[in-house]
Amino acid sequence: EDKVVQSPLSLVVHEGDTVTLNCSYEVTNFRSLLWYKQEKKAPTFLFMLTSSGIEKKSGRLSSILDKKELFSILNITATQTGDSAVYLCAVFIIQGAQKLVFGQGTRLTINP
Amino acid sequence: GAGVSQSPRYKVTKRGQDVALRCDPISGHVSLYWYRQALGQGPEFLTYFNYEAQQDKSGLPNDRFSAERPEGSISTLTIQRTEQRDSAMYRCASRGGGPQYFGPGTRLTVL
């Protein structure tokens, strides 16, 4: 059974801290791994990773994929209260069908 | 369009009624996906379309759930004879070859 596991499930830090969110997966027919940020509305796309070892960066956020060890991390530096959200990791699989398999999410709270 | 839109945003219905949830994907996106998201969980796959063809419906919980996309654009997810356990956020996403982009969802409450 395809499985995506995120850790920690919940994290509370102070503004300015750096956080690392983890995502491990066991799936067949891996195509890519995606990170989304979800506040009170639609999940917002952050990164799509297909190759191992290549860091993707957008401002204070960065992510990297390790296809040998089957995990990805999402780093957020100099956190701000606006970073508070649920961060979802999902793996896009193609086996005839195509679908995203999501983890449970990490609820990140940034305190001022 | 600017993004994926869904309607209604909220739907409250009584047990046993049928509901129809609509998704309008990003213009030009070939693939359209339906997911269901329970509180505190990630979205779970229901079904998807390429153009008007339903390619996979393995995630639909039972035969009360159906979906269509007759002209390869707007899609409707229909739930017949709703039950309380159908209460959830129903999300639609579309994809044009890259990542999936999600709509705001329809929160369905079955009383």
Side-chain angles (χ1 to χ4, degrees), chain B residues 18-77:
Chain B
D18 298 351
V19 296
L21 313 180
R22 173 186 164 125
C23 172
D24 198 342
I26 293 171
S27 179
H29 277 194
V30 167
S31 303
L32 184 148
Y33 304 78
W34 284 98
Y35 293 85
R36 181 166 69 174
Q37 187 171 17
L39 208 59
Q41 301 292 321
E44 288 189 342
F45 171 80
L46 294 176
T47 185
Y48 97 98
F49 295 82
N50 273 345
Y51 299 101
E52 72 282 359
Q54 190 171 19
Q55 299 288 338
D56 180 13
K57 51 183 181 179
S58 63
L60 296 176
N62 51 61
D63 60 8
R64 295 184 298 104
F65 287 72
S66 63
E68 62 174 11
R69 193 187 185 197
E71 296 177 2
S73 179
I74 293 167
S75 176
T76 303
L77 177 70

Side-chain angles (χ1 to χ4, degrees), chain A residues 33-85:
Chain A
L33 185 144
L34 294 88
W35 285 95
Y36 290 86
K37 177 182 181 183
Q38 183 170 19
E39 296 170 273
K40 289 195 187 296
K41 39 191 192 315
T44 305
F45 170 73
L46 295 175
F47 297 111
M48 184 167 73
L49 304 152
T50 54
S51 301
S52 268
I54 298 173
E55 185 184 51
K56 292 223 172 175
K57 201 167 167 63
S58 175
R60 297 177 294 101
L61 278 66
S62 63
S63 184
I64 197 161
L65 173 67
D66 185 329
K67 288 168 74 173
K68 183 179 175 188
E69 300 297 329
L70 308 183
F71 79 90
S72 173
I73 60 172
L74 175 69
N75 276 322
I76 309 175
T77 59
T79 52
Q80 302 172 357
T81 54
D83 296 327
S84 295

Side-chain angles (χ1 to χ4, degrees), chain B residues 92-109:
Chain B
C92 171
S94 71
R95 176 174 176 265
Q100 292 183 26
Y101 292 94
F102 283 82
T106 294
R107 179 163 297 284
L108 175 66
T109 303

